[in-house]
Amino acid sequence: MKLLEERILRDGRALNADVLLVDSFLNNQVDAPLMAEVGRTLAEAAKDLGVTRVVTIESSGIAPAMMTAMTLNVPLVILKKSASRILQDGVIQTEVFSFTKNAAYQLTLKKRFVLPGDRVLLVDDFLARGEAATGASKLIEQAGASVAAIGIVIEKAFQPGRALLTEKGYKVISLARVAAMGEGYIEFAEADA
Ligand code: G4P
């Protein structure tokens, strides 16, 4: 997505070779018109996949996922991050370890919002090592649904997330793929849409 790459070049900042700061349009402040375009682009890329629901992970996934769900005219379901295990009927959880934050959390789904037979478009802001997307896919499948595709706003293509997900058979649609970055430069690989 050309507009997104241009925005990353203009306002993104590589904190180091691993972490890209995009707080001004994605993480802390959200550029709503840009997210609308993100949503339209992801929805267009997934239009033939029979998507019945969009699922995302709180918190930064919500804005792009909401716009995608709006364009596809399907419900948006939010997976929460809980510090501890919840023993409650209708709730399923899986542990996810975040290397960026060096902490584990319980990714949590209320099962009644993802139904058996649903075809889910999973949307998240970043793809790094693929831990969050793997955990989310596991919950979606435990609920009896299938993952039609995984839509990502910014993929760090130099990290192993994409390989992990494609090896498991998931279709990954990344709108921007950062191939390399460092002080003063950000380079892209070819995006999926
Ligand atoms: P993984 O799921 O692909 O393995 O990624 P990882 O655990 O490393 O990512 C954990 C969190 O850090 C996620 O946010 C992810 O969006 C974010 N993240 C990863 N790499 C970057 C980066 O280079 N730049 C920025 N800005 N964020 C990155 P989160 O914990 O879910 O936070 P939030 O959604 O509540 O904001």
Side-chain angles (χ1 to χ4, degrees), residues 26-120:
L26 184 56
N27 288 136
N28 295 69
Q29 172 173 261
V30 175
D31 181 332
L34 180 68
M35 285 312 116
E37 193 53 36
V38 161
R40 279 192 288 272
T41 309
L42 277 179
E44 171 66 23
K47 72 175 189 302
D48 297 326
L49 301 177
V51 172
T52 57
R53 223 163 274 259
V54 172
V55 171
T56 192
I57 303 168
E58 64 168 341
S59 58
S60 298
I62 295 174
M66 178 69 192
M67 301 316 290
T68 308
M70 203 166 99
T71 310
L72 288 170
N73 197 25
V74 297
L76 168 65
V77 176
I78 300 165
L79 303 180
K80 303 276 188 156
K81 294 173 192 156
S82 168
S84 58
R85 287 205 73 81
I86 301 168
L87 292 171
Q88 218 178 69
D89 270 357
V91 169
I92 50 176
Q93 293 184 304
T94 189
E95 184 166 290
V96 171
F97 184 78
S98 164
F99 285 88
T100 306
K101 302 205 165 157
N102 195 27
Y105 58 88
Q106 295 290 332
L107 194 61
T108 304
L109 166 67
K110 282 202 177 171
K111 257 185 5 181
R112 71 190 160 103
F113 299 121
V114 173
L115 307 178
D118 262 332
R119 287 183 56 76
V120 169

Side-chain angles (χ1 to χ4, degrees), residues 157-173:
F158 54 88
Q159 292 196 347
R162 188 189 190 90
L164 182 80
L165 298 174
T166 51
E167 268 163 29
K168 289 178 195 285
Y170 297 118
K171 177 184 172 70
V172 177
I173 306 166

